[in-house]
Amino acid sequence: MPVVFDEQASTITINTENTSYQMKIGPCSILMHTYYGPRIDCDAGYAVSYRDRGFSVNPYDSIENRRVSSDTMPLEYPCEGSGDHRAPAFSLRRKNGAVGCDLRYVNHSIHAGKYSLPGLPAVYAEEEEAETLLVTLQDQSAHITVTLQYGILPKLDIITRAACVVNDGDETVFLDNAASANVDIIAGNWELIHFYGRHAGERNTARTEIGQREIVIGSRRGMSSHHENPFVILAESDTTELHGQCIGMCFVYSGSFACNVSKDAFGTVRSVMGIQPEHFDYPLEPGESFQAPEVILAYSGSGLGHLSHLYHKVISDHICRGPWRNARRPVLINNWEATTMNFDGDLIVSIAKKAAELGVEMLVLDDGWFGARNTDMAGLGDWVVNEKKLGCTMGELADKIRAMGMKFGLWIEPEMVNEDSDLFRTHPDYAMRIPGKDPALGRNQLVLDFSREEVVDNIFGQISKVLDECRADYVKMDMNRPIVDVYSAVAEYQSQGKILYNYIKGVYRFMDMLLERYPDLLLEGCSGGGGRFDAGMLYYCPQIWCSDNTDAIDRIRIQYGTSFCYPLKTMGAHVSAVPNGDTKRCTPIHTRGVVAMEGTFGYELDLNLISESEMEEVKEQIVTFKKYWDLLHNGTYYRLTDVMKNRSEAAWMMVSEDQKEALVNIVVLDTTGNCPNRYIRCAGLDPMAQYEDEKGTVYSGNVLMTIGLPMPLKYVPNTQWREFAREYDAFQIHLVKRTVSA
Ligand code: DGJ
């Protein structure tokens, strides 16, 4: 039984195979959070310190005991108005303007299987794989019930959290904040790791001390954003890739979010994660409920690498869905970087033809195939095939591609509209604009009001017609601007505070409809690259275009940051042309291939324009990818260097579950004359085993993991000279465990 209730100690303990998470019903029925860490079998509540602290108020029902204060106790779901002045998870405003309530424990129940969240993405599991705990909190005066939802996947060491709020009263109330999860940690020297960035520079890692202050990271953009990812790690200061304690919080949501991390005056660290409370003002009518999205929690006592493995597993097997989630994805070619919107049907066919000759398996037609879409000034909203530009129908183009033995995919951007479009001319109210205010434009486009069902239905109707016609195997679903003018023409004043939440639910509904109509469709998420790279999107799209930046060296850092939470097979990655469009850097095609194989793998250039020897390399890359894809995508992934700090080389490896095989990937970032010896320290191997590489060199597992793999040497052609690898050279070393005869 994963959930254990100890009535005498008043503790509810959630046990997974290797971890325990404990809450305790404290004085005045205040629900405390007492523990999250390695497995325990006791009441950890003794660690809570009850002292009469000045300027920390006491509950009315604890007038005799001034040592009780929610301001100083570790709490499971802190709410504003209870006397806790730290960051709240819950904040309620009544009709009369009063803010505050005081949620107390009422009861709990345990159920087989994992709860699901209607209209929202969430971890799913078979009934025998999971258990659900529901804890009811109530505020009697405000007539509010909050049910804390916990999903437990014991074998995976995963605990999920969500919260559902019900208005049991007879007056409308407003939710100013309804976070999904809170973690209070009583002791330790904790740091915050978060993943910040920008368009074309997503998910850099930053590690910062959590001092006596509040650190708020998040997004106010209506999307999870390029700027902060909805995933954070709390790590003890001595935690490394292979050692130490850390806790992850992954938000399964694609809209604005906030994570408030702080340390209070007495040393308790708090991390609250949920929907961005700014501009969130959710009216709850009598009898109505609000469902907060899910957060996936994981604890690792053996470093950041293991924490990533826990997330990779749960996202691969319990977030991603459909036939593609663990299958090999077709090697694709996308025309965007080769042509942008300047193409015709013949050019697309010629790109596809060369790609097919070299072994590419799918052509993806990107932006520019519909309406008056020849620049970004027009066309979005009009999902009608521009047959003049293509010289044929979409069905005919798809047939030409299929005749080459390839699959066919299409780009869409359903949430957007250009003012210069028939859709906008007919339904101007479909676009979000504040009456009387000039709307802010992003890439010359406006955002459609996806909080309205009829808007979603209109776009779905148009797009599905095209997909029906060409029987698309794949769709890339893009979103190219943040949301500014939050206003819905049909919502009354009181409902404007729930538009962004309903907008995201509209996006989820759109993808649900797509997958229901086309169950075999491979859907790739995209938002100007990785602006919506989150677990919410991965519930619908098993892969997301990781970044618009395809420079191999920049991509190493972007994919490194992404890998802390998300599996490699979810990262859209392509080989593109050099000099790179973003950085103007030139890297060898081999290196671009090695880096793209850290992700889904594909091409984004006109392969007619590369040299014969590069074409040979492309052929080899595709063979290599097909040979190693299972190891690359389903092996255990290890980050071997910290690419935010190590400027000399980047390395990562994948190890098969049975440790019989591994693939070490190395890219030289910098070199120097008479270079000192360099070694790549491996991980995850069988320590006592011997491994052999393709050249027949034999290594010991233990030596590889203590000294490391010597940086490969390159021979200078036609001489006896050996030199260290040059800047931007890349190596893939395949290691196979030797069977030792008895
Ligand atoms: C942004 C995407 O990230 C690109 O890959 C491309 O699809 C363009 N949009 C097309 O407009």
Side-chain angles (χ1 to χ4, degrees):
M1 283 285 282
V3 182
V4 180
F5 177 51
D6 180 336
E7 206 168 344
Q8 218 176 352
S10 295
T11 54
I12 307 171
T13 309
I14 298 172
N15 291 316
T16 68
E17 223 157 80
N18 300 294
T19 71
S20 293
Y21 178 104
Q22 191 175 79
M23 55 200 102
K24 184 175 172 82
I25 304 144
C28 308
S29 298
I30 295 170
L31 189 64
M32 299 194 292
H33 175 83
T34 46
Y35 181 80
Y36 192 21
R39 188 80 192 239
I40 56 166
D41 187 15
C42 66
D43 173 7
Y46 71 86
V48 177
S49 137
Y50 299 94
R51 291 172 62 183
D52 180 4
R53 304 280 194 182
F55 283 83
S56 284
V57 299
N58 317 106
Y60 203 74
D61 41 347
S62 183
I63 205 87
E64 300 297 316
N65 182 357
R66 289 176 35 168
R67 290 182 301 156
V68 174
S69 172
S70 49
D71 201 28
T72 57
M73 290 154 76
L75 300 177
E76 187 63 15
Y77 195 67
C79 65
E80 191 168 4
S82 66
D84 180 9
H85 289 275
R86 298 167 291 181
F90 187 73
S91 202
L92 177 99
R93 189 161 38 83
R94 305 184 198 201
K95 219 172 174 180
N96 62 9
V99 175
C101 67
D102 195 353
L103 295 168
R104 306 285 179 92
Y105 169 85
V106 177
N107 57 38
H108 71 271
S109 58
I110 300 162
H111 311 263
K114 160 80 178 48
Y115 65 83
S116 57
L117 304 178
L120 287 171
V123 164
Y124 63 90
E126 297 295 330
E127 180 144 328
E128 59 283 3
E129 290 176 312
E131 197 161 273
T132 291
L133 164 70
L134 303 177
V135 181
T136 310
L137 309 178
Q138 242 167 26
D139 177 302
Q140 304 285 356
S141 73
H143 305 288
I144 284 295
T145 301
V146 177
T147 304
L148 303 181
Q149 299 148 299
Y150 299 81
I152 305 117
L153 278 70
K155 282 218 161 69
L156 272 69
D157 287 326
I158 288 292
I159 299 172
T160 67
R161 284 193 62 174
C164 182
V165 188
V166 179
N167 181 357
D168 300 317
D170 48 20
E171 275 199 345
T172 309
V173 293
F174 298 87
L175 304 179
D176 286 342
N177 187 6
S180 299
N182 173 58
V183 176
D184 274 6
I185 312 173
I186 301 173
N189 192 6
W190 294 84
E191 295 177 339
L192 169 70
I193 303 176
H194 62 111
F195 303 87
Y196 70 95
R198 56 192 185 277
H199 174 239
E202 298 89 336
R203 292 173 293 285
N204 301 276
T205 57
R207 187 164 176 161
T208 175
E209 185 199 345
I210 304 169
Q212 252 95 4
R213 59 183 165 145
E214 279 184 26
I215 308 167
V216 185
I217 64 130
S219 154
R220 300 182 187 90
R221 294 167 183 269
M223 55 202 282
S224 49
S225 88
H226 304 84
H227 301 74
E228 281 290 353
N229 193 260
F231 173 65
V232 299
I233 301 174
L234 306 172
E236 280 223 288
S237 54
D238 56 358
T239 296
T240 62
E241 278 291 333
L242 298 174
H243 305 282
Q245 302 199 83
C246 46
I247 294 170
M249 296 178 85
C250 164
F251 199 26
V252 189
Y253 187 65
S254 312
S256 300
F257 75 98
C259 183
N260 185 311
V261 183
S262 59
K263 189 185 219 174
D264 72 14
F266 308 106
T268 296
V269 166
R270 167 169 295 180
S271 180
V272 189
M273 186 177 248
I275 287 182
Q276 170 64 262
E278 284 180 39
H279 313 302
F280 178 76
D281 179 21
Y282 198 97
L284 215 50
E285 304 297 334
E288 272 188 2
S289 64
F290 168 78
Q291 178 62 59
E294 182 165 278
V295 167
I296 308 174
L297 296 173
Y299 166 88
S300 160
S302 45
L304 300 165
H306 180 61
L307 190 77
S308 296
H309 301 158
L310 297 176
Y311 279 105
H312 290 185
K313 184 85 185 143
V314 71
I315 290 175
S316 295
D317 295 348
H318 298 272
I319 283 280
C320 295
R321 299 175 298 165
W324 290 103
R325 62 175 195 163
N326 287 323
R328 183 174 78 70
R329 317 285 161 75
V331 177
L332 68 78
I333 183 142
N334 176 307
N335 69 297
W336 178 251
E337 287 197 24
T339 68
T340 62
M341 295 179 213
N342 305 316
F343 59 83
D344 58 20
D346 289 344
L347 182 54
I348 297 300
V349 168
S350 88
I351 289 175
K353 197 160 168 274
K354 177 53 78 183
E357 270 169 37
L358 301 181
V360 175
E361 299 164 310
M362 178 161 75
L363 179 281
V364 175
L365 180 57
D366 211 285
D367 195 355
W369 56 262
F370 52 91
R373 186 79 171 161
N374 294 310
T375 68
D376 63 22
M377 297 296 290
L380 287 170
D382 296 343
W383 299 100
V384 179
V385 181
N386 185 343
E387 294 180 357
K388 202 163 158 229
K389 184 168 179 176
L390 294 184
C392 59
T393 66
M394 194 59 89
E396 285 162 353
L397 180 66
D399 286 345
K400 287 183 203 167
I401 304 298
R402 289 206 175 89
M404 298 172 198
M406 295 172 105
K407 292 180 186 296
F408 181 71
L410 217 49
W411 176 98
I412 59 171
E413 192 177 1
E415 298 152 73
M416 297 292 155
V417 67
N418 285 112
E419 286 174 294
D420 186 359
S421 68
D422 290 340
L423 185 80
F424 185 76
R425 282 183 281 271
T426 327
H427 298 288
D429 64 300
Y430 277 16
M432 284 211 245
R433 291 178 304 160
I434 296 175
K437 171 186 181 291
D438 283 339
L441 291 171
R443 210 190 185 201
N444 300 306
Q445 62 202 50
L446 297 173
V447 183
L448 285 172
D449 183 1
F450 259 41
S451 74
R452 288 168 60 182
E453 277 193 12
E454 67 271 33
V455 178
V456 176
D457 290 344
N458 177 309
I459 299 297
F460 184 77
Q462 292 192 54
I463 289 178
S464 56
K465 233 185 195 169
V466 182
L467 299 182
D468 284 350
E469 189 200 340
C470 66
R471 303 180 330 278
D473 301 290
Y474 159 109
V475 162
K476 173 178 174 189
M477 180 168 141
D478 208 345
M479 193 270 190
N480 279 306
R481 60 156 290 178
I483 305 176
V484 177
D485 298 289
V486 182
Y487 182 82
S488 177
V490 297
E492 76 283 19
Y493 166 70
Q494 285 207 330
S495 301
Q496 298 292 343
K498 59 183 186 187
I499 290 171
L500 285 179
Y501 172 77
N502 285 343
Y503 174 94
I504 291 295
K505 285 182 83 172
V507 174
Y508 293 150
R509 186 171 149 259
F510 179 88
M511 291 188 285
D512 256 339
M513 294 197 294
L514 266 186
L515 297 173
E516 204 171 293
R517 188 166 177 134
Y518 312 105
D520 294 331
L521 187 77
L522 172 56
L523 187 58
E524 175 154 354
C526 178
S527 175
R532 222 163 40 179
F533 204 119
D534 55 69
M537 292 304 288
L538 289 172
Y539 188 68
Y540 307 90
C541 326
Q543 60 190 58
I544 298 175
W545 183 227
C546 203
S547 176
D548 272 349
N549 185 341
T550 53
D551 173 87
I553 304 306
D554 276 8
R555 262 304 183 104
I556 290 173
R557 186 185 33 70
I558 294 166
Q559 292 171 190
Y560 168 87
T562 309
S563 79
F564 278 84
C565 182
Y566 308 102
L568 305 195
K569 58 181 166 247
T570 65
M571 301 185 205
H574 300 165
V575 173
S576 63
V578 289
N580 179 270
D582 272 308
T583 61
K584 307 290 172 261
R585 183 165 21 220
C586 290
T587 49
I589 195 158
H590 179 67
T591 304
R592 283 174 269 153
V594 169
V595 175
M597 279 185 219
E598 199 189 8
T600 54
F601 193 64
Y603 292 86
E604 188 141 346
L605 71 167
D606 186 346
L607 292 169
N608 291 298
L609 306 179
I610 62 175
S611 68
E612 287 291 328
S613 66
E614 286 176 321
M615 287 183 199
E616 285 310 307
E617 171 71 30
V618 168
K619 277 194 207 161
E620 264 176 49
Q621 284 175 353
I622 296 173
V623 171
T624 306
F625 174 70
K626 287 183 178 171
K627 184 163 144 202
Y628 295 139
W629 81 270
D630 196 22
L631 184 56
L632 287 162
H633 286 179
N634 298 323
T636 310
Y637 171 78
Y638 293 88
R639 292 174 290 268
L640 303 181
T641 59
D642 178 347
V643 304
M644 296 299 287
K645 289 195 187 131
N646 183 341
R647 309 312 298 170
S648 310
E649 63 267 318
W652 60 95
M653 71 188 284
M654 298 85 175
V655 183
S656 63
E657 208 174 334
D658 58 11
Q659 295 176 309
K660 285 190 174 155
E661 218 194 332
L663 190 71
V664 183
N665 303 267
I666 305 167
V667 177
V668 179
L669 299 177
D670 191 15
T671 191
T672 177
N674 201 11
C675 191
N677 297 332
R678 291 178 176 184
Y679 296 90
I680 303 298
R681 193 173 288 177
C682 297
L685 298 168
D686 177 349
M688 294 312 287
Q690 291 191 337
Y691 288 89
E692 188 170 346
D693 69 15
E694 277 162 325
K695 291 188 184 133
T697 312
V698 176
Y699 310 86
S700 132
N702 249 335
V703 176
L704 285 172
M705 293 192 291
T706 49
I707 293 177
L709 183 82
M711 176 66 99
L713 299 174
K714 276 206 159 179
Y715 288 86
V716 180
N718 309 323
T719 70
Q720 293 299 310
W721 290 55
R722 292 188 310 174
E723 61 170 20
F724 280 103
R726 279 161 297 190
E727 191 180 52
Y728 305 147
D729 275 341
F731 304 91
Q732 271 180 326
I733 297 136
H734 186 228
L735 299 171
V736 177
K737 193 172 178 174
R738 292 179 96 208
T739 39
V740 184
S741 44

